[in-house]
Amino acid sequence: MAEEDDARIRILQSLRGKICEAKNLGPVSGPNRLKDLCTFCTISLDQEEVFRTKVFDKSITPFYGEDFFFEIPRPFQFLSFYVYAKGVFQRDLPVGKVSIRKDDLCKYSGKDDWFNLQPVDPNTEVQGKVHLEMRLNEVITDHGSTVLTVHIKLQGLVDTLIFFWGGESCTCVKLIYFHLMSFRSDQKKTKVKKKTSNPYFEETFFFEVTRSSSYSRKSQFPVEEEDIEKLEIRVDLWNNENLAQDVFLGETRVPVKILQSDRVHKAWYLLQPKGTGSKSKSDDLGQLRLKLTYIEDTVLPSTCYTPLCNLLLKSPDVKPISASAAHILGDIFRERYEAVLPMVRLLLYHSRFVPFVSAVAALELDNTQEANTIFRGNSLATRCIDDMMKIVGKSYLAVTLKPVIDEICDSNKTCEIDPIKLKEGDNVEVNKENLQVYVQKVFSSITQSSSNCPPLMCDVFRSLRHLACKRFLGDPHVQYSAVSSFVFLRFFAVAVLSPHSFQLRSHHPDPEIARTLTLISKTIQTLGSWGSLSKKLSSFKESYMYDFYKSFQEEKCIEKVKKFLDEISSNVSKESCRQEDAVVLKEGEVQKRTQGKKNFSKRNFKKRWLRVTNRELSYHKRKGKEALCTISVKNIQAVEKLDESAFNRKNMFQVVLSEMPLYVQAGNCVEASEWLEILGQVSRCNEGRLTTYHSSNYTAGAWQCCKNQSGSAPGCKPCTITMLANLQLDIDCDREAERIFSLLSSNESKLQNMEDACASMAVYQGPQREQEEYSKFTIQEPKETFQTLKQLRNVMEELQRQHNSRNNTTAQYGSLDNPIVGKTS
């Protein structure tokens, strides 16, 4: 049972951040000046590109403003950000890069920093790892000398760069050994392996070190410490080009001192940049401003998190709510906005969010003195509801806003109405008319969307409305302002302002379009608040906005807003028996192998637009076109990775169907991982789901993975166990619990301070502290809060013990289970 539990331990990595801007971009090779070129940025895990910004027009100080988030599906050494200049008649020209070693990412996590761009040197652009088998043997020659024989067996290489020349990729390996005494070099070379980035060599080489010495045949040969310290084996990997010199792919150096006599050393070694390469020029290439948050979680089996989850999930029932574990978590991390997110996800998944947020909202209202300031601060209640709307309302936003946002961004009409910002030749009346048309479309889309509002959001809004009316009995507007402050101010207006942050657009809009969206967002905020304000136009500051608002029929807008707010916060339950709407879970461009083809021609792979909803999987010739093929998700039997050797392509996966598999190649490892996760989740409970699969294809009368000649033979590998998750909410409960544990563990001092404050106030009747000490926390009932803190501490100690027991690994450093990272010393 222990082995099964250990097998379910997951190491999960994610990266969130923003490519903000660049400044003072330096010279770039090529005939054109940099200021005449357009630039863009890419993100790479080692040398695999996983994200690209849009191209920014001619500027040496571009503002990219691109947010990114992705799960990191594989080990990596470096996270790199490249700035490229877009060539017109030539390939893209590298301006510079920022490369951060994985171990150093924690230094920059959550920070906004400027990084100096470094030159892009081909000899440093490496990735991949090589597996070696080495043995140190003692051999006594007939001439009375002693020979140390190093036996090296090259077993394989993975994830190297692929260079294409004449449509083929080739990789070869050189092994170089430096003689200790005479400094002679002994070079040996493997055969060239073609058409693969995962070559399997299975070649053996011998190197000899000869030294005269007096010895006794019965005694063991002594190895002197100072000699062994200097000996090393260097393995270089090269791309064997057809037309020019070989291209360096990477190297690794192994000190002979780690070898033991007559024992085989087997290990993976990550490739490194060329150690003897010339230093790149230190030109001033400019700077890049980045904001990064890297998270690595060791997720244990579900049973380990049960006590912590139970403690958090009973929070809505704790009286007062401030003494609950969930409230304590939010109180401890009140300055860290993202810290509440994992707690919100857990409460959502277990249907405990509405009672919890109702309780914390009631606590906030008790401390609110003016009705017109209701829910305007950055409180625990507002943070929880903000996170909930982003999670639950994702498809709601897409249905309501995406069509009109696409129209605004694609038509690119000028809408500037500020006289100071008007450009020469602009007509303010035309611009005002354009803006009014856009605002009317957005406003109508929102106010007519109540039937699409998720039931959970309606439940929260109904509770807020009830609580606000109860708190401010004499104010007729508060029932609307309690809801509009969220749905208009914090949801729709923010999504209009930053559509890329809500996945409504793939990239940050251009400055002119961003200005248009800003004006629309400001207008929508005001129109949304009309139904809940006693003061209308007189409260507006900018004169040009005042004139613009007069073009709207105030009474009709107020009527529409109130009707919409009534519908999404009414006492009538939104839950109905109608069939669940199809929700797009993921879509994007892929390479799909033509069904039924037996040969391996590259022409059999076609670009297709792949789309998966909670009901079906379909592929299209292009985005927006009719489906070429539609597959019900109920018919999916398995979704698994495909061996690269099947089609000599990386990042491939297969959707196993009863007729024949669907073979798909994703753009990079991140995309492949996301497709596998989504398709695996949506088909997890299918009745016909397989337990085994074939990791390669069936060709030449046999499965290439197991050589079974029967096309209907059962799979030779067990299918991946898909973790339980809620597809609509995209929630992995074990991971969220691990995040909460990590946050609490890293802030034990705050928990201790809160515990001491409770003890000082009530438990031990000790000396009272200054009131400022208490103001950092919400402590209504010290005894209840103290008991919850003690329970939290006990749960954390047990989880830490579970982590420690599983971290006592016996895997050898540099072994298959524990590969060496970085240069060997």
Side-chain angles (χ1 to χ4, degrees):
M1 186 66 181
E3 292 181 0
E4 292 180 5
D5 284 349
D6 288 341
R8 288 158 52 204
I9 294 176
R10 297 175 290 154
I11 308 296
L12 302 179
Q13 309 170 95
S14 64
L15 184 72
R16 182 187 301 275
K18 187 172 188 176
I19 301 177
C20 302
E21 59 183 318
K23 66 180 180 181
N24 303 325
L25 295 181
V28 63
S29 59
N32 299 319
R33 295 175 301 172
L34 183 62
K35 68 178 182 179
D36 297 326
L37 296 176
C38 303
T39 62
F40 63 93
C41 293
T42 66
I43 302 177
S44 293
L45 297 175
D46 296 325
Q47 297 306 303
E48 183 178 15
E49 182 182 316
V50 295
F51 180 83
R52 176 177 292 216
T53 70
K54 70 175 183 179
V55 178
F56 198 92
D57 287 338
K58 303 172 183 179
S59 174
I60 60 172
T61 57
F63 181 84
Y64 299 107
E66 294 275 10
D67 298 295
F68 59 85
F69 171 78
F70 52 84
E71 302 287 343
I72 301 176
R74 62 170 178 81
F76 70 101
Q77 297 181 72
F78 289 92
L79 175 70
S80 300
F81 299 81
Y82 293 82
V83 179
Y84 288 95
K86 191 76 176 175
V88 181
F89 300 109
Q90 55 185 320
R91 63 183 177 84
D92 298 332
L93 305 172
V95 178
K97 70 174 182 179
V98 174
S99 191
I100 306 173
R101 187 181 289 273
K102 176 186 174 182
D103 295 340
D104 295 333
L105 282 172
C106 59
K107 300 177 183 177
Y108 309 103
S109 190
K111 298 179 181 178
D112 192 323
D113 291 297
W114 282 99
F115 295 85
N116 292 324
L117 290 176
Q118 302 298 321
V120 178
D121 181 359
N123 285 334
T124 66
E125 306 297 297
V126 303
Q127 73 174 70
K129 57 185 177 180
V130 61
H131 186 256
L132 304 176
E133 289 186 13
M134 296 173 283
R135 184 170 63 247
L136 185 62
N137 289 339
E138 176 191 343
V139 178
I140 308 301
T141 67
D142 294 335
H143 302 290
S145 61
T146 304
V147 180
L148 294 178
T149 304
V150 181
H151 162 254
I152 298 181
K153 178 182 178 183
L154 281 174
Q155 191 173 357
L157 171 72
V158 298
D159 294 335
T160 61
L161 281 172
I162 306 175
F163 292 85
F164 291 95
W165 290 86
E168 296 182 352
S169 64
C170 310
T171 307
C172 75
V173 177
K174 286 184 179 179
L175 291 97
I176 304 175
Y177 174 79
F178 293 97
H179 195 283
L180 174 64
M181 295 297 185
S182 62
F183 301 100
R184 290 182 293 106
S185 62
D186 185 6
Q187 300 186 18
K188 297 187 179 181
K189 184 177 179 180
T190 67
K191 297 177 182 178
V192 175
K193 297 292 183 179
K194 298 183 178 181
K195 298 181 180 180
T196 180
S197 64
N198 288 349
Y200 190 87
F201 294 98
E202 195 67 39
E203 297 190 40
T204 303
F205 300 90
F206 295 89
F207 298 90
E208 297 181 354
V209 178
T210 306
R211 180 181 60 185
S212 298
S213 66
S214 57
Y215 67 95
S216 169
R217 289 183 182 273
K218 295 182 180 180
S219 64
Q220 184 177 3
F221 172 73
V223 178
E224 296 180 12
E225 189 68 23
E226 61 271 20
D227 295 345
I228 281 294
E229 287 290 340
K230 300 177 183 178
L231 289 172
E232 66 179 12
I233 298 294
R234 193 176 90 209
V235 180
D236 291 350
L237 291 104
W238 301 82
N239 176 49
N240 187 244
E241 303 174 8
N242 296 329
L243 303 177
Q245 64 180 3
D246 295 347
V247 174
F248 176 75
L249 297 181
E251 72 172 22
T252 189
R253 301 185 180 215
V254 184
V256 178
K257 68 179 181 180
I258 70 171
L259 306 180
Q260 299 180 16
S261 295
D262 298 322
R263 289 188 63 181
V264 177
H265 173 79
K266 299 180 180 180
W268 284 103
Y269 290 89
L270 295 177
L271 296 176
Q272 303 297 321
K274 184 177 288 187
T276 58
S278 58
K279 298 293 183 181
S280 302
K281 296 180 180 179
S282 57
D283 296 330
D284 185 6
L285 302 176
Q287 293 180 302
L288 186 65
R289 185 162 68 90
L290 304 170
K291 186 174 182 179
L292 305 174
T293 300
Y294 170 75
I295 296 175
E296 181 175 304
D297 294 317
T298 301
V299 182
L300 304 177
S302 297
T303 53
C304 298
Y305 299 108
T306 301
L308 176 59
C309 289
N310 289 341
L311 190 59
L312 290 165
L313 294 176
K314 75 175 185 180
S315 293
D317 303 324
V318 176
K319 306 296 182 184
I321 191 65
S322 61
S324 67
H327 192 282
I328 289 172
L329 178 66
D331 214 18
I332 291 294
F333 299 106
R334 63 175 61 185
E335 75 285 358
R336 292 184 59 180
Y337 194 88
E338 75 284 356
V340 175
L341 180 59
M343 179 187 71
V344 169
R345 288 177 177 271
L346 272 180
L347 293 170
L348 282 173
Y349 186 88
H350 293 280
S351 302
R352 299 290 285 161
F353 179 80
V354 176
F356 174 75
V357 82
S358 298
V360 295
L363 177 61
E364 179 177 341
L365 286 171
D366 287 342
N367 297 317
T368 303
Q369 303 303 319
E370 298 290 338
N372 59 3
T373 62
I374 190 170
F375 299 127
R376 292 302 174 100
N378 185 24
S379 65
L380 178 58
T382 58
R383 285 184 292 165
C384 287
I385 297 173
D386 282 352
D387 284 337
M388 178 275 295
M389 292 191 298
K390 289 177 183 178
I391 297 169
V392 175
K394 191 182 301 183
S395 60
Y396 178 36
L397 277 179
V399 171
T400 306
L401 290 183
K402 186 167 175 38
V404 64
I405 293 294
D406 286 340
E407 179 186 346
I408 294 169
C409 294
D410 295 338
S411 61
N412 198 19
K413 292 181 180 179
T414 304
C415 298
E416 184 57 71
I417 59 174
D418 184 351
I420 299 176
K421 296 183 179 181
L422 286 174
K423 295 181 180 179
E424 186 177 354
D426 283 351
N427 187 319
V428 68
E429 293 302 320
V430 173
N431 292 357
K432 186 182 295 185
E433 184 178 344
N434 291 339
L435 182 61
Q436 186 174 9
V437 169
Y438 285 153
V439 170
Q440 288 287 8
K441 286 186 176 182
V442 173
F443 182 70
S444 297
S445 295
I446 293 172
T447 54
Q448 296 172 12
S449 69
S450 60
S451 61
N452 294 321
C453 186
L456 184 67
M457 288 177 61
C458 294
D459 290 342
V460 171
F461 296 151
R462 183 167 62 251
S463 177
L464 295 177
R465 181 175 183 169
H466 171 74
L467 291 169
C469 291
K470 184 178 178 181
R471 173 67 178 86
F472 298 99
L473 292 173
D475 193 322
H477 303 289
V478 73
Q479 59 177 319
Y480 296 112
S481 61
V483 179
S484 64
S485 61
F486 286 103
V487 72
F488 278 101
L489 183 65
R490 295 174 177 267
F491 188 57
F492 284 119
V494 178
V496 170
L497 185 65
S498 304
H500 61 294
S501 300
F502 291 82
Q503 292 80 51
L504 299 177
R505 297 288 291 182
S506 57
H507 295 293
H508 186 79
D510 294 329
E512 287 189 6
I513 296 176
R515 174 60 179 167
T516 298
L517 294 176
T518 299
L519 293 171
I520 295 173
S521 178
K522 291 175 66 174
T523 311
I524 291 300
Q525 288 182 47
T526 303
L527 294 179
S529 66
W530 269 4
S532 58
L533 289 177
S534 56
K535 295 182 179 180
K536 309 284 190 315
L537 293 175
S538 59
S539 63
F540 303 143
K541 297 179 180 179
E542 304 99 333
S543 58
Y544 66 89
M545 292 300 290
Y546 178 90
D547 294 335
F548 177 65
Y549 286 126
K550 288 194 297 185
S551 63
F552 294 91
Q553 298 181 21
E554 184 175 338
E555 294 304 322
K556 285 189 176 181
C557 287
I558 292 175
E559 182 181 341
K560 288 181 179 180
V561 169
K562 286 187 174 182
K563 182 175 182 293
F564 170 68
L565 295 176
D566 283 335
E567 290 171 344
I568 63 173
S569 61
S570 65
N571 291 325
V572 180
S573 175
K574 289 281 295 181
E575 296 183 10
S576 65
C577 58
R578 66 186 178 91
Q579 188 178 10
E580 183 184 16
D581 293 334
V583 179
V584 177
L585 302 174
K586 183 173 174 60
E587 58 182 337
E589 190 174 79
V590 299
Q591 292 277 347
K592 187 194 75 68
R593 187 173 188 270
T594 307
Q595 298 288 82
K597 295 289 185 179
K598 294 183 179 180
N599 59 51
F600 291 88
S601 170
K602 290 184 178 180
R603 290 176 293 181
N604 291 336
F605 281 86
K606 303 290 185 181
K607 281 186 179 180
R608 291 292 181 257
W609 187 262
L610 197 63
R611 188 172 184 262
V612 60
T613 71
N614 54 324
R615 296 180 185 175
E616 61 190 27
L617 171 68
S618 60
Y619 56 84
H620 315 246
K621 192 169 184 178
R622 287 187 299 275
K623 182 179 181 181
K625 296 293 183 181
E626 292 293 323
L628 299 175
C629 179
T630 300
I631 302 165
S632 172
V633 296
K634 295 181 180 179
N635 296 331
I636 297 176
Q637 297 178 332
V639 184
E640 298 290 344
K641 292 181 180 179
L642 193 69
D643 288 346
E644 183 186 333
S645 58
F647 300 103
N648 291 323
R649 287 172 176 251
K650 300 179 69 173
N651 302 319
M652 286 204 67
F653 63 92
Q654 55 182 321
V655 181
V656 182
L657 308 168
S658 57
E659 311 83 30
M660 64 180 66
L662 182 70
Y663 295 124
V664 181
Q665 182 185 28
N668 54 60
C669 65
V670 172
E671 283 286 314
S673 177
E674 290 176 355
W675 283 115
L676 284 165
E677 180 71 17
I678 291 293
L679 288 167
Q681 287 286 355
V682 81
S683 62
R684 180 179 57 84
C685 297
N686 287 353
E687 292 182 1
R689 191 169 176 88
L690 301 177
T691 57
T692 58
Y693 76 103
H694 291 284
S695 59
S696 190
N697 59 331
Y698 184 84
T699 186
W703 289 102
Q704 298 306 299
C705 45
C706 59
K707 306 305 178 186
N708 194 312
Q709 297 182 357
S710 173
S712 59
C716 54
K717 289 187 176 181
C719 287
T720 304
I721 298 176
T722 305
M723 300 303 297
L724 180 64
N726 185 313
L727 266 178
Q728 299 294 330
L729 303 181
D730 188 25
I731 293 173
D732 180 343
C733 288
D734 294 345
R735 186 175 195 179
E736 304 305 336
E738 174 60 30
R739 279 275 77 229
I740 293 171
F741 167 69
S742 298
L743 287 166
L744 291 172
S745 297
S746 61
N747 287 268
E748 283 192 72
S749 60
K750 291 185 178 180
L751 287 173
Q752 186 62 56
N753 289 340
M754 192 174 192
E755 190 173 322
D756 292 343
C758 291
S760 177
M761 290 174 68
V763 179
Y764 300 127
Q765 296 298 321
Q768 294 293 308
R769 298 188 177 189
E770 294 296 329
Q771 190 62 33
E772 293 81 56
E773 292 287 331
Y774 306 138
S775 64
K776 298 177 182 178
F777 311 110
T778 305
I779 303 176
Q780 292 177 293
E781 291 289 341
K783 291 184 179 181
E784 288 289 336
T785 307
F786 183 84
Q787 290 300 321
T788 304
L789 287 165
K790 294 295 289 185
Q791 292 174 332
L792 265 177
R793 188 175 296 280
N794 293 336
V795 167
M796 289 170 58
E797 288 175 355
E798 175 59 23
L799 259 176
Q800 188 61 59
R801 190 189 66 78
Q802 297 275 6
H803 274 281
N804 293 341
S805 66
R806 286 169 169 83
N807 287 337
N808 292 331
T809 177
T810 57
Q812 180 186 3
Y813 186 63
S815 66
L816 288 168
D817 298 323
N818 189 13
I820 289 179
V821 179
K823 291 187 178 181
T824 56
S825 58

